[in-house]
Amino acid sequence: MKLGLHYWNYTTPADPARIAPTLAQTARIADEAGIASFSVMDHYFQMQTRLSAADEPMLEGYTTLGYVAALTTRMTLGVLVTGVTYRHPGLLAKIVTTLDVLSGGRAQLGVGASWYEREQRGLGVPVVPVRERFERLEETIQICRQMWSDDNGPYEGRYYRLAETLCVPAPLGGRRPEILIGGGGERKTLLLVARYADACNLFAGVDRVAHKLDVLRAHCANEGRDYDAIEKTVMVSAPVLADVDGLLTEAEAYAKLGVSEIQVLPDRHPVEFVEAVAERIAPRLSSIR
């Protein structure tokens, strides 16, 4: 079982001048501890939840990952997940390619249908109906796949038209970045996972994940896709250090379902959190098969 770190909050420490050094120290510790992936959110306002408010600090995701790329050498780097309405897909493919080249081939494209309408309206991003978001998501994935192939020709879709899909330099190593689709929507999101994704990301809950994977398996059968070829990952938002044994028991259940990675979220100062995770969770989690 692999471990991922999802860096979702920039509120601690409170001084904005400490955001960069805290992020840097956290990323270095995670990389040295063998944490497999480092991800950030694609938000411009913090999410409005019982634990966070919209006016709390938030950084742009791909700029942040470029900074982290220069400080680390091993972790996969990705946005969990990119909101499809925030960037033109041709430019998104180029952004992810840039991250891949500068990180030595460690970029992942995490993508999903954007949802946070407050920040979209606040910043002037067009808000489109949910159905259209998923149609744009499918076209975006198609464009990225084409730009990461030998086909430099045009792309003609309903929403996007590209005269040429040139992408130089290409992602490193003669392969394209892994595409992860986030979300558990059973009719649309998991269908797109079956059609296009190398990986999926689901919210935690063993019974919930088991059900979503059954749905995904059915979509794969209908699409003629090898279900086992899709990596399954799970986001655990609970305070994992409060019950390490419980987390590991849950991880064993996920492993039996075919999940290969869980992501955890700092619930305190990020450096303190990642140090404790590296000591108390990472070594034990790696033994779970």
Side-chain angles (χ1 to χ4, degrees):
M1 180 69 71
K2 295 183 293 184
L3 180 63
L5 180 66
H6 185 57
Y7 202 101
W8 71 284
N9 191 303
Y10 303 90
T11 304
T12 303
D15 180 2
R18 298 299 304 163
I19 290 177
T22 300
L23 174 64
Q25 187 177 2
T26 303
R28 289 191 185 104
I29 294 169
D31 200 48
E32 292 169 2
I35 288 177
S37 68
F38 188 100
S39 61
V40 297
M41 297 196 300
D42 195 22
H43 287 304
Y44 297 83
F45 296 174
Q46 177 59 274
M47 296 182 295
Q48 185 73 45
T49 72
R50 63 182 180 84
L51 299 175
S52 58
D55 61 356
E56 292 178 3
M58 181 53 57
L59 300 183
E60 193 280 322
Y62 283 101
T63 309
T64 301
L65 290 178
Y67 178 71
V68 172
L71 301 168
T72 59
T73 60
R74 294 182 290 185
M75 293 185 296
T76 297
L77 305 174
V79 172
L80 196 60
V81 289
T82 308
V84 72
T85 60
Y86 290 133
R87 301 167 189 83
H88 190 286
L91 302 183
L92 174 60
K94 188 66 177 181
I95 290 166
V96 176
T97 301
T98 300
L99 177 63
D100 192 73
V101 170
L102 297 182
S103 68
R106 294 185 286 134
Q108 177 190 71
L109 171 60
V111 66
S114 51
W115 62 271
Y116 194 8
E117 293 188 7
R118 176 174 176 175
E119 67 183 353
Q120 294 174 25
R121 297 183 191 280
L123 299 176
V125 177
V127 176
V128 301
V130 172
R131 178 177 179 178
E132 181 177 331
R133 292 179 206 171
F134 280 96
E135 292 170 346
R136 288 179 179 269
L137 175 59
E138 183 164 20
E139 290 192 13
T140 293
I141 295 167
Q142 291 171 350
I143 290 167
C144 288
R145 288 168 63 101
Q146 182 169 327
M147 288 189 67
W148 294 331
S149 73
D150 294 330
D151 182 0
N152 295 332
Y155 175 89
E156 293 287 336
R158 179 178 180 182
Y159 300 101
Y160 303 109
R161 295 172 179 81
L162 285 69
E164 53 184 328
T165 49
L166 189 64
C167 187
V168 180
L172 297 185
R175 94 289 176 256
R176 60 170 174 79
E178 180 184 75
I179 296 172
L180 177 150
I181 297 177
E186 297 180 12
R187 292 189 302 110
K188 296 180 179 179
T189 302
L190 293 178
L191 174 59
L192 292 178
V193 171
R195 285 180 180 168
Y196 300 107
D198 303 295
C200 65
N201 184 253
L202 302 167
F203 289 115
V206 174
D207 291 343
R208 179 190 302 116
V209 169
H211 171 70
K212 298 298 183 182
L213 292 180
D214 283 343
V215 173
L216 176 59
R217 191 187 298 273
H219 282 311
C220 286
N222 291 334
E223 294 290 319
R225 178 77 188 280
D226 181 3
Y227 169 84
D228 293 328
I230 301 170
E231 183 177 12
K232 291 82 176 175
T233 72
V234 169
M235 174 76 71
V236 178
S237 58
V240 294
L241 292 172
D243 185 6
V244 172
D245 289 340
L247 172 70
L248 294 168
T249 298
E250 194 171 308
E252 290 174 348
Y254 290 133
K256 292 177 181 177
L257 295 174
V259 173
S260 61
E261 178 176 319
I262 60 173
Q263 295 102 19
V264 297
L265 289 68
D267 62 350
R268 62 197 69 188
H269 192 290
V271 173
E272 176 190 343
F273 178 82
V274 76
E275 287 176 337
V277 165
E279 178 182 354
R280 299 173 55 195
I281 294 177
R284 296 173 65 185
L285 193 68
S286 65
S287 67
I288 295 175
R289 298 289 187 269

